[in-house]
Amino acid sequence: MNTYLERVLKKTKEKNANEPEFLQTVEEVLTSLEPLIDAHPEYEQAALLERLVEPERIIQFRVTWEDDNGNIQVNKGYRVQFNGALGPYKGGLRFDPSVNLSVLKFLGFEQIFKNSLTTLPIGGGKGGSDFDPLGKSDKEIMRFCQAFMSELYRHIGPSLDVPAGDIGVGGREIGYLYGQYRRLKNIYENGVLTGKDPVYGGSLGRPSATGYGALYYVQEVMKHEKDTVKGKTFAISGFGNVAWGTIKKIAQLGGKAITISGPNGYVYDPDGIITDEKIDYLLEMRASKDMDVKMYADKFGCEFFEGKKPWDQVKADIYMPCATQNEVHLEDAKAIVNSGAKYYFEVSNMPTTNEALAYLQEHGVIVGPAKAVNAGGVAVSALEMTQNAMRLAWSEEEVDARLKEIMQNIVRASYEAANANGFKDDLVKGANLAGFMKIADAMMKQGIF
Ligand code: 2IT
């Protein structure tokens, strides 16, 4: 391996030894960049990679709130402002008990490359809390969001850092967060957050953008393979906003999603999640306090497999994890290869361990990486920022047309970067290379700091 790359990887591992998720993504990304690092010795002189793997700023704070029983609760709050070379820091907020600095640094690092791939002017960031929304009342959610924003508001702004949603943060939470921001700053600055309801400046089509965008990516790859979505079966994990948009667009394109999953098991629906009733029920389930995927099995009379994941159980033409990180391990990858599936598209962030990803690719499965496949969400967020800055609202059709074009360009740019660097049609390496080129260029031009 390139000696500079090797040295930076080793040093990063030493310096962040207690951050496994972050190291996983750094290793995956940096090892893809070798041809570009070889071709640009000036990067080493400018310590470009050392700077790239170190967040520009991390804010960590205490969030104190009162639950419905009058007890005082304390959580950790974070914002990682990872890289601002291409624009204001941009990325979601995740509220989940698994949130820690390693998880947010992995998400923030991925976000830099994803946001670069959209070609829109946004840097990379991520934030959140170890707060667990499960079983919380609406008032508790509101009080938590207000407490969280009471510290965060001084670190963000429409030209500084623009958070959005992620796991555990949807339209309702964004509303409470924005209300508190407006109250504290005494200004109408709705470009500070994206994923808002359209009634106060949210973009039409933002809730479905990640899932729809993923399918536009899938369509473009399948076109390259002279193949089509129509008639294909899809194994999906998760049942939140991202899975919903993905499943809805699969149905529109004549495909059939046959699984969904939650933390405690998966549901197999051989008839497919194709009717409006079934698709709408996903949203209802998500909005319920229990957020239990088993509700779907009970309602539509299909089987729930407790403690199991769809990967090694269900045969499908296309696999699309839509839940969370590290949900597909080596043994799952083996099962997917054995099923004879030709395609695997990551939709959730880093759903695949590095060894599982390598196994899939070595065995001829076409892999679309999360930072490219799910970029439609943040792309429409960037469109929301533009609409807010211009004080206008585009129609849903207009937003969707732009989303489609952005996703098609990401596929083209990925093939191009892969093939120009000797990795034939490798969409994983291609996405890393294409994303990196713009960031590196911008960082070099902005001087050393
Ligand atoms: O992972 C992601 O790209 C998101 N959670 C959305 C980020 C955004 O700013 O819309």
Side-chain angles (χ1 to χ4, degrees), residues 201-260:
S203 177
L204 294 167
R206 177 62 186 90
S208 56
T210 309
Y212 284 16
L215 262 294
Y216 297 149
Y217 182 100
V218 169
Q219 277 189 301
E220 194 64 19
V221 172
M222 290 183 89
K223 198 166 103 195
H224 185 268
E225 299 297 314
K226 303 188 174 28
D227 203 347
T228 159
V229 170
K230 202 172 161 65
K232 299 286 192 303
T233 54
F234 290 74
I236 306 288
S237 64
F239 68 102
N241 165 265
V242 170
W244 164 77
T246 301
I247 290 168
K248 193 166 172 174
K249 186 53 80 175
I250 288 171
Q252 282 175 17
L253 297 175
K256 191 164 95 166
I258 53 174
T259 64
I260 46 173

Short mmCIF file of all heavy atoms in Angstrom, two decimals, residues 201-260:
data_model
loop_
_atom_site.label_atom_id
_atom_site.label_comp_id
_atom_site.label_asym_id
_atom_site.label_seq_id
_atom_site.Cartn_x
_atom_site.Cartn_y
_atom_site.Cartn_z
N GLY A 201 -41.88 25.91 5.88
CA GLY A 201 -40.66 26.02 5.07
C GLY A 201 -39.97 24.73 4.72
O GLY A 201 -38.87 24.74 4.15
N GLY A 202 -40.57 23.59 5.07
CA GLY A 202 -39.97 22.32 4.68
C GLY A 202 -40.16 22.06 3.19
O GLY A 202 -41.13 22.52 2.59
N SER A 203 -39.25 21.30 2.61
CA SER A 203 -39.36 20.98 1.19
C SER A 203 -40.36 19.86 0.98
O SER A 203 -40.36 18.86 1.71
CB SER A 203 -38.00 20.52 0.65
OG SER A 203 -38.15 20.15 -0.72
N LEU A 204 -41.21 20.03 -0.01
CA LEU A 204 -42.06 18.91 -0.41
C LEU A 204 -41.13 17.78 -0.85
O LEU A 204 -40.08 18.02 -1.44
CB LEU A 204 -42.98 19.34 -1.56
CG LEU A 204 -44.02 20.40 -1.16
CD1 LEU A 204 -44.69 21.01 -2.39
CD2 LEU A 204 -45.08 19.81 -0.24
N GLY A 205 -41.53 16.56 -0.53
CA GLY A 205 -40.71 15.42 -0.97
C GLY A 205 -39.51 15.10 -0.10
O GLY A 205 -38.77 14.18 -0.41
N ARG A 206 -39.29 15.81 1.01
CA ARG A 206 -38.14 15.46 1.85
C ARG A 206 -38.35 14.11 2.58
O ARG A 206 -37.44 13.30 2.61
CB ARG A 206 -37.80 16.57 2.86
CG ARG A 206 -36.65 16.22 3.84
CD ARG A 206 -35.35 15.97 3.12
NE ARG A 206 -34.25 15.51 3.97
CZ ARG A 206 -33.98 14.22 4.24
NH1 ARG A 206 -34.77 13.27 3.76
NH2 ARG A 206 -32.95 13.89 4.98
N PRO A 207 -39.56 13.84 3.14
CA PRO A 207 -39.71 12.57 3.86
C PRO A 207 -39.43 11.34 2.99
O PRO A 207 -38.89 10.35 3.45
CB PRO A 207 -41.17 12.59 4.33
CG PRO A 207 -41.52 14.04 4.42
CD PRO A 207 -40.77 14.69 3.28
N SER A 208 -39.80 11.40 1.72
CA SER A 208 -39.62 10.24 0.85
C SER A 208 -38.28 10.25 0.11
O SER A 208 -37.95 9.30 -0.60
CB SER A 208 -40.76 10.16 -0.17
OG SER A 208 -40.83 11.37 -0.91
N ALA A 209 -37.50 11.34 0.27
CA ALA A 209 -36.34 11.54 -0.61
C ALA A 209 -35.27 10.45 -0.48
O ALA A 209 -34.70 10.03 -1.49
CB ALA A 209 -35.71 12.91 -0.33
N THR A 210 -35.00 9.98 0.73
CA THR A 210 -33.94 8.98 0.89
C THR A 210 -34.33 7.68 0.17
O THR A 210 -33.54 7.13 -0.61
CB THR A 210 -33.66 8.71 2.38
OG1 THR A 210 -33.46 9.95 3.03
CG2 THR A 210 -32.44 7.84 2.56
N GLY A 211 -35.56 7.23 0.40
CA GLY A 211 -36.02 5.98 -0.22
C GLY A 211 -36.20 6.12 -1.73
O GLY A 211 -35.76 5.25 -2.49
N TYR A 212 -36.84 7.20 -2.16
CA TYR A 212 -37.03 7.39 -3.61
C TYR A 212 -35.66 7.53 -4.30
O TYR A 212 -35.42 6.93 -5.36
CB TYR A 212 -37.86 8.66 -3.90
CG TYR A 212 -39.35 8.52 -3.64
CD1 TYR A 212 -39.87 7.48 -2.88
CD2 TYR A 212 -40.24 9.45 -4.17
CE1 TYR A 212 -41.24 7.38 -2.65
CE2 TYR A 212 -41.61 9.35 -3.95
CZ TYR A 212 -42.11 8.32 -3.18
OH TYR A 212 -43.45 8.23 -2.96
N GLY A 213 -34.80 8.31 -3.68
CA GLY A 213 -33.45 8.50 -4.24
C GLY A 213 -32.73 7.16 -4.37
O GLY A 213 -32.05 6.90 -5.37
N ALA A 214 -32.87 6.31 -3.35
CA ALA A 214 -32.22 4.99 -3.39
C ALA A 214 -32.69 4.20 -4.62
O ALA A 214 -31.90 3.58 -5.32
CB ALA A 214 -32.52 4.22 -2.11
N LEU A 215 -33.99 4.27 -4.90
CA LEU A 215 -34.52 3.53 -6.06
C LEU A 215 -34.08 4.17 -7.37
O LEU A 215 -33.87 3.46 -8.36
CB LEU A 215 -36.03 3.39 -5.97
CG LEU A 215 -36.49 2.03 -5.42
CD1 LEU A 215 -36.13 0.88 -6.37
CD2 LEU A 215 -35.87 1.73 -4.06
N TYR A 216 -33.92 5.49 -7.42
CA TYR A 216 -33.41 6.11 -8.65
C TYR A 216 -31.96 5.65 -8.88
O TYR A 216 -31.55 5.42 -10.03
CB TYR A 216 -33.49 7.64 -8.57
CG TYR A 216 -34.91 8.17 -8.45
CD1 TYR A 216 -35.18 9.34 -7.76
CD2 TYR A 216 -35.97 7.48 -9.03
CE1 TYR A 216 -36.49 9.82 -7.64
CE2 TYR A 216 -37.27 7.95 -8.91
CZ TYR A 216 -37.53 9.12 -8.21
OH TYR A 216 -38.81 9.58 -8.09
N TYR A 217 -31.23 5.50 -7.79
CA TYR A 217 -29.86 4.96 -7.89
C TYR A 217 -29.93 3.52 -8.42
O TYR A 217 -29.22 3.16 -9.36
CB TYR A 217 -29.21 5.02 -6.51
CG TYR A 217 -27.77 4.52 -6.47
CD1 TYR A 217 -26.70 5.41 -6.48
CD2 TYR A 217 -27.48 3.15 -6.39
CE1 TYR A 217 -25.39 4.96 -6.44
CE2 TYR A 217 -26.18 2.69 -6.36
CZ TYR A 217 -25.13 3.60 -6.37
OH TYR A 217 -23.83 3.14 -6.33
N VAL A 218 -30.79 2.70 -7.81
CA VAL A 218 -30.94 1.29 -8.22
C VAL A 218 -31.31 1.21 -9.71
O VAL A 218 -30.73 0.43 -10.46
CB VAL A 218 -32.04 0.60 -7.36
CG1 VAL A 218 -32.41 -0.77 -7.93
CG2 VAL A 218 -31.58 0.47 -5.91
N GLN A 219 -32.26 2.04 -10.12
CA GLN A 219 -32.69 2.02 -11.53
C GLN A 219 -31.53 2.32 -12.48
O GLN A 219 -31.40 1.70 -13.53
CB GLN A 219 -33.77 3.10 -11.75
CG GLN A 219 -35.16 2.68 -11.38
CD GLN A 219 -36.18 3.72 -11.85
OE1 GLN A 219 -36.10 4.88 -11.46
NE2 GLN A 219 -37.11 3.31 -12.68
N GLU A 220 -30.69 3.29 -12.08
CA GLU A 220 -29.58 3.69 -12.96
C GLU A 220 -28.54 2.56 -13.04
O GLU A 220 -28.01 2.29 -14.12
CB GLU A 220 -28.96 4.98 -12.39
CG GLU A 220 -28.04 5.71 -13.33
CD GLU A 220 -28.71 6.24 -14.60
OE1 GLU A 220 -29.96 6.37 -14.63
OE2 GLU A 220 -27.97 6.51 -15.56
N VAL A 221 -28.29 1.89 -11.93
CA VAL A 221 -27.35 0.76 -11.95
C VAL A 221 -27.93 -0.38 -12.77
O VAL A 221 -27.23 -1.02 -13.58
CB VAL A 221 -27.03 0.29 -10.51
CG1 VAL A 221 -26.22 -1.00 -10.52
CG2 VAL A 221 -26.27 1.38 -9.74
N MET A 222 -29.23 -0.64 -12.59
CA MET A 222 -29.86 -1.74 -13.33
C MET A 222 -29.91 -1.45 -14.83
O MET A 222 -29.80 -2.35 -15.65
CB MET A 222 -31.24 -2.04 -12.76
CG MET A 222 -31.15 -2.67 -11.37
SD MET A 222 -32.74 -3.13 -10.66
CE MET A 222 -32.94 -4.79 -11.28
N LYS A 223 -30.06 -0.18 -15.16
CA LYS A 223 -30.03 0.21 -16.58
C LYS A 223 -28.66 -0.15 -17.18
O LYS A 223 -28.56 -0.68 -18.28
CB LYS A 223 -30.29 1.71 -16.69
CG LYS A 223 -30.72 2.16 -18.08
CD LYS A 223 -31.29 3.57 -18.07
CE LYS A 223 -30.27 4.55 -18.60
NZ LYS A 223 -30.61 5.95 -18.29
N HIS A 224 -27.63 0.15 -16.41
CA HIS A 224 -26.25 -0.19 -16.81
C HIS A 224 -26.10 -1.70 -17.02
O HIS A 224 -25.35 -2.15 -17.87
CB HIS A 224 -25.30 0.31 -15.71
CG HIS A 224 -23.85 0.14 -16.00
ND1 HIS A 224 -23.13 -0.97 -15.62
CD2 HIS A 224 -22.96 0.95 -16.65
CE1 HIS A 224 -21.87 -0.83 -16.00
NE2 HIS A 224 -21.74 0.31 -16.63
N GLU A 225 -26.85 -2.49 -16.25
CA GLU A 225 -26.81 -3.96 -16.35
C GLU A 225 -27.89 -4.49 -17.31
O GLU A 225 -28.12 -5.70 -17.36
CB GLU A 225 -27.03 -4.58 -14.96
CG GLU A 225 -25.99 -4.21 -13.93
CD GLU A 225 -24.59 -4.69 -14.31
OE1 GLU A 225 -24.46 -5.86 -14.73
OE2 GLU A 225 -23.65 -3.88 -14.20
N LYS A 226 -28.57 -3.57 -18.00
CA LYS A 226 -29.67 -3.92 -18.91
C LYS A 226 -30.73 -4.77 -18.19
O LYS A 226 -31.17 -5.83 -18.65
CB LYS A 226 -29.14 -4.66 -20.15
CG LYS A 226 -28.10 -3.81 -20.88
CD LYS A 226 -27.69 -4.39 -22.19
CE LYS A 226 -26.77 -3.47 -22.98
NZ LYS A 226 -25.92 -2.55 -22.21
N ASP A 227 -31.12 -4.27 -17.04
CA ASP A 227 -32.03 -4.98 -16.16
C ASP A 227 -33.08 -3.99 -15.67
O ASP A 227 -32.96 -2.79 -15.91
CB ASP A 227 -31.21 -5.52 -14.97
CG ASP A 227 -31.87 -6.71 -14.29
OD1 ASP A 227 -33.04 -6.98 -14.55
OD2 ASP A 227 -31.18 -7.35 -13.46
N THR A 228 -34.10 -4.46 -14.98
CA THR A 228 -35.15 -3.54 -14.51
C THR A 228 -35.75 -3.97 -13.17
O THR A 228 -35.71 -5.15 -12.81
CB THR A 228 -36.28 -3.42 -15.59
OG1 THR A 228 -37.47 -2.97 -14.96
CG2 THR A 228 -36.59 -4.76 -16.23
N VAL A 229 -36.30 -3.01 -12.43
CA VAL A 229 -36.89 -3.25 -11.11
C VAL A 229 -38.17 -4.08 -11.24
O VAL A 229 -38.49 -4.88 -10.35
CB VAL A 229 -37.20 -1.90 -10.42
CG1 VAL A 229 -38.04 -2.09 -9.16
CG2 VAL A 229 -35.91 -1.15 -10.09
N LYS A 230 -38.88 -3.89 -12.32
CA LYS A 230 -40.18 -4.53 -12.50
C LYS A 230 -40.10 -6.06 -12.31
O LYS A 230 -39.24 -6.72 -12.90
CB LYS A 230 -40.70 -4.22 -13.91
CG LYS A 230 -42.20 -4.35 -14.05
CD LYS A 230 -42.63 -3.82 -15.42
CE LYS A 230 -43.98 -4.31 -15.82
NZ LYS A 230 -45.06 -3.85 -14.98
N GLY A 231 -40.96 -6.56 -11.43
CA GLY A 231 -41.03 -8.00 -11.21
C GLY A 231 -40.01 -8.56 -10.22
O GLY A 231 -40.03 -9.75 -9.91
N LYS A 232 -39.14 -7.70 -9.69
CA LYS A 232 -38.10 -8.19 -8.76
C LYS A 232 -38.62 -8.19 -7.31
O LYS A 232 -39.46 -7.37 -6.93
CB LYS A 232 -36.86 -7.30 -8.83
CG LYS A 232 -36.20 -7.25 -10.20
CD LYS A 232 -35.44 -8.52 -10.51
CE LYS A 232 -34.53 -8.37 -11.73
NZ LYS A 232 -35.22 -7.97 -12.96
N THR A 233 -38.08 -9.11 -6.50
CA THR A 233 -38.39 -9.12 -5.07
C THR A 233 -37.25 -8.48 -4.29
O THR A 233 -36.08 -8.64 -4.64
CB THR A 233 -38.61 -10.55 -4.56
OG1 THR A 233 -37.47 -11.34 -4.91
CG2 THR A 233 -39.86 -11.17 -5.15
N PHE A 234 -37.62 -7.77 -3.23
CA PHE A 234 -36.64 -7.03 -2.42
C PHE A 234 -36.76 -7.44 -0.95
O PHE A 234 -37.85 -7.40 -0.38
CB PHE A 234 -36.91 -5.52 -2.49
CG PHE A 234 -36.61 -4.90 -3.83
CD1 PHE A 234 -37.44 -5.11 -4.91
CD2 PHE A 234 -35.50 -4.08 -3.99
CE1 PHE A 234 -37.18 -4.53 -6.15
CE2 PHE A 234 -35.22 -3.48 -5.22
CZ PHE A 234 -36.06 -3.71 -6.30
N ALA A 235 -35.63 -7.82 -0.35
CA ALA A 235 -35.59 -8.02 1.10
C ALA A 235 -35.12 -6.73 1.75
O ALA A 235 -34.05 -6.22 1.43
CB ALA A 235 -34.64 -9.16 1.45
N ILE A 236 -35.96 -6.20 2.63
CA ILE A 236 -35.69 -4.90 3.27
C ILE A 236 -35.57 -5.13 4.77
O ILE A 236 -36.32 -5.92 5.34
CB ILE A 236 -36.89 -3.94 3.02
CG1 ILE A 236 -37.21 -3.81 1.52
CG2 ILE A 236 -36.67 -2.58 3.69
CD1 ILE A 236 -36.23 -3.03 0.72
N SER A 237 -34.66 -4.41 5.42
CA SER A 237 -34.66 -4.38 6.89
C SER A 237 -35.10 -2.99 7.34
O SER A 237 -35.04 -2.04 6.56
CB SER A 237 -33.28 -4.70 7.45
OG SER A 237 -32.36 -3.69 7.06
N GLY A 238 -35.52 -2.90 8.60
CA GLY A 238 -36.00 -1.64 9.13
C GLY A 238 -37.47 -1.45 8.79
O GLY A 238 -38.04 -2.21 7.99
N PHE A 239 -38.10 -0.45 9.38
CA PHE A 239 -39.49 -0.12 9.03
C PHE A 239 -39.78 1.36 9.28
O PHE A 239 -40.92 1.79 9.37
CB PHE A 239 -40.49 -1.00 9.80
CG PHE A 239 -40.53 -0.72 11.29
CD1 PHE A 239 -41.56 0.02 11.85
CD2 PHE A 239 -39.55 -1.20 12.12
CE1 PHE A 239 -41.61 0.28 13.22
CE2 PHE A 239 -39.59 -0.95 13.49
CZ PHE A 239 -40.62 -0.21 14.04
N GLY A 240 -38.71 2.16 9.36
CA GLY A 240 -38.87 3.59 9.61
C GLY A 240 -39.04 4.37 8.32
O GLY A 240 -39.43 3.82 7.28
N ASN A 241 -38.76 5.64 8.40
CA ASN A 241 -38.95 6.56 7.28
C ASN A 241 -38.20 6.12 6.02
O ASN A 241 -38.74 6.19 4.91
CB ASN A 241 -38.50 7.95 7.75
CG ASN A 241 -38.29 8.90 6.62
OD1 ASN A 241 -37.16 9.06 6.15
ND2 ASN A 241 -39.35 9.51 6.16
N VAL A 242 -36.97 5.66 6.19
CA VAL A 242 -36.16 5.28 5.02
C VAL A 242 -36.72 4.01 4.36
O VAL A 242 -36.87 3.95 3.13
CB VAL A 242 -34.68 5.10 5.44
CG1 VAL A 242 -33.87 4.48 4.32
CG2 VAL A 242 -34.08 6.45 5.85
N ALA A 243 -37.06 3.01 5.18
CA ALA A 243 -37.65 1.78 4.63
C ALA A 243 -38.97 2.10 3.93
O ALA A 243 -39.26 1.59 2.84
CB ALA A 243 -37.87 0.76 5.75
N TRP A 244 -39.77 2.98 4.54
CA TRP A 244 -41.07 3.37 3.96
C TRP A 244 -40.92 3.94 2.55
O TRP A 244 -41.59 3.50 1.61
CB TRP A 244 -41.76 4.37 4.89
CG TRP A 244 -42.89 5.11 4.28
CD1 TRP A 244 -44.15 4.63 4.04
CD2 TRP A 244 -42.87 6.46 3.79
NE1 TRP A 244 -44.91 5.61 3.44
CE2 TRP A 244 -44.16 6.74 3.27
CE3 TRP A 244 -41.89 7.47 3.74
CZ2 TRP A 244 -44.48 7.98 2.71
CZ3 TRP A 244 -42.22 8.70 3.18
CH2 TRP A 244 -43.51 8.94 2.68
N GLY A 245 -40.04 4.92 2.39
CA GLY A 245 -39.84 5.55 1.07
C GLY A 245 -39.30 4.55 0.05
O GLY A 245 -39.70 4.55 -1.12
N THR A 246 -38.42 3.70 0.51
CA THR A 246 -37.83 2.68 -0.38
C THR A 246 -38.92 1.72 -0.86
O THR A 246 -39.04 1.45 -2.07
CB THR A 246 -36.73 1.90 0.40
OG1 THR A 246 -35.74 2.84 0.84
CG2 THR A 246 -36.08 0.83 -0.46
N ILE A 247 -39.71 1.22 0.07
CA ILE A 247 -40.76 0.24 -0.25
C ILE A 247 -41.83 0.87 -1.16
O ILE A 247 -42.31 0.24 -2.11
CB ILE A 247 -41.38 -0.30 1.06
CG1 ILE A 247 -40.36 -1.20 1.77
CG2 ILE A 247 -42.71 -1.03 0.79
CD1 ILE A 247 -40.73 -1.56 3.20
N LYS A 248 -42.16 2.12 -0.89
CA LYS A 248 -43.18 2.81 -1.69
C LYS A 248 -42.73 2.96 -3.15
O LYS A 248 -43.50 2.69 -4.08
CB LYS A 248 -43.45 4.19 -1.05
CG LYS A 248 -44.68 4.86 -1.59
CD LYS A 248 -45.10 6.04 -0.73
CE LYS A 248 -46.21 6.78 -1.47
NZ LYS A 248 -46.82 7.84 -0.70
N LYS A 249 -41.48 3.34 -3.33
CA LYS A 249 -40.99 3.52 -4.71
C LYS A 249 -40.81 2.16 -5.40
O LYS A 249 -41.07 2.03 -6.60
CB LYS A 249 -39.69 4.34 -4.71
CG LYS A 249 -39.15 4.72 -6.07
CD LYS A 249 -40.16 5.44 -6.99
CE LYS A 249 -40.31 6.91 -6.68
NZ LYS A 249 -41.20 7.61 -7.64
N ILE A 250 -40.41 1.14 -4.66
CA ILE A 250 -40.31 -0.22 -5.24
C ILE A 250 -41.67 -0.61 -5.81
O ILE A 250 -41.77 -1.09 -6.94
CB ILE A 250 -39.85 -1.24 -4.18
CG1 ILE A 250 -38.37 -1.04 -3.83
CG2 ILE A 250 -40.09 -2.69 -4.67
CD1 ILE A 250 -37.88 -1.86 -2.64
N ALA A 251 -42.74 -0.38 -5.01
CA ALA A 251 -44.09 -0.74 -5.46
C ALA A 251 -44.48 0.06 -6.70
O ALA A 251 -45.03 -0.49 -7.67
CB ALA A 251 -45.09 -0.52 -4.33
N GLN A 252 -44.18 1.36 -6.69
CA GLN A 252 -44.51 2.21 -7.85
C GLN A 252 -43.82 1.72 -9.12
O GLN A 252 -44.35 1.86 -10.21
CB GLN A 252 -44.07 3.66 -7.60
CG GLN A 252 -44.99 4.45 -6.69
CD GLN A 252 -44.44 5.85 -6.39
OE1 GLN A 252 -43.55 6.34 -7.09
NE2 GLN A 252 -44.97 6.47 -5.35
N LEU A 253 -42.64 1.15 -8.97
CA LEU A 253 -41.87 0.71 -10.14
C LEU A 253 -42.15 -0.75 -10.52
O LEU A 253 -41.49 -1.32 -11.37
CB LEU A 253 -40.36 0.89 -9.88
CG LEU A 253 -39.90 2.35 -9.65
CD1 LEU A 253 -38.42 2.39 -9.27
CD2 LEU A 253 -40.15 3.21 -10.89
N GLY A 254 -43.13 -1.35 -9.84
CA GLY A 254 -43.53 -2.71 -10.20
C GLY A 254 -42.70 -3.81 -9.56
O GLY A 254 -42.76 -4.97 -9.96
N GLY A 255 -41.93 -3.46 -8.53
CA GLY A 255 -41.22 -4.47 -7.75
C GLY A 255 -42.02 -4.82 -6.51
O GLY A 255 -43.15 -4.35 -6.32
N LYS A 256 -41.43 -5.66 -5.64
CA LYS A 256 -42.19 -6.15 -4.49
C LYS A 256 -41.26 -6.33 -3.30
O LYS A 256 -40.38 -7.20 -3.32
CB LYS A 256 -42.81 -7.49 -4.90
CG LYS A 256 -43.84 -8.04 -3.97
CD LYS A 256 -44.67 -9.14 -4.66
CE LYS A 256 -44.09 -10.50 -4.34
NZ LYS A 256 -45.01 -11.61 -4.69
N ALA A 257 -41.46 -5.50 -2.26
CA ALA A 257 -40.71 -5.68 -1.01
C ALA A 257 -41.40 -6.78 -0.20
O ALA A 257 -42.62 -6.74 -0.03
CB ALA A 257 -40.67 -4.38 -0.22
N ILE A 258 -40.63 -7.75 0.28
CA ILE A 258 -41.25 -8.89 0.97
C ILE A 258 -40.86 -9.02 2.44
O ILE A 258 -41.36 -9.91 3.13
CB ILE A 258 -40.96 -10.23 0.23
CG1 ILE A 258 -39.46 -10.41 0.01
CG2 ILE A 258 -41.73 -10.29 -1.09
CD1 ILE A 258 -39.08 -11.77 -0.59
N THR A 259 -39.96 -8.17 2.92
CA THR A 259 -39.64 -8.20 4.36
C THR A 259 -39.51 -6.79 4.91
O THR A 259 -39.20 -5.84 4.19
CB THR A 259 -38.30 -8.93 4.66
OG1 THR A 259 -37.22 -8.19 4.07
CG2 THR A 259 -38.30 -10.36 4.16
N ILE A 260 -39.75 -6.66 6.22
CA ILE A 260 -39.36 -5.50 7.02
C ILE A 260 -38.86 -6.05 8.35
O ILE A 260 -39.12 -7.22 8.68
CB ILE A 260 -40.51 -4.50 7.27
CG1 ILE A 260 -41.79 -5.26 7.71
CG2 ILE A 260 -40.79 -3.65 6.04
CD1 ILE A 260 -42.93 -4.35 8.14
#
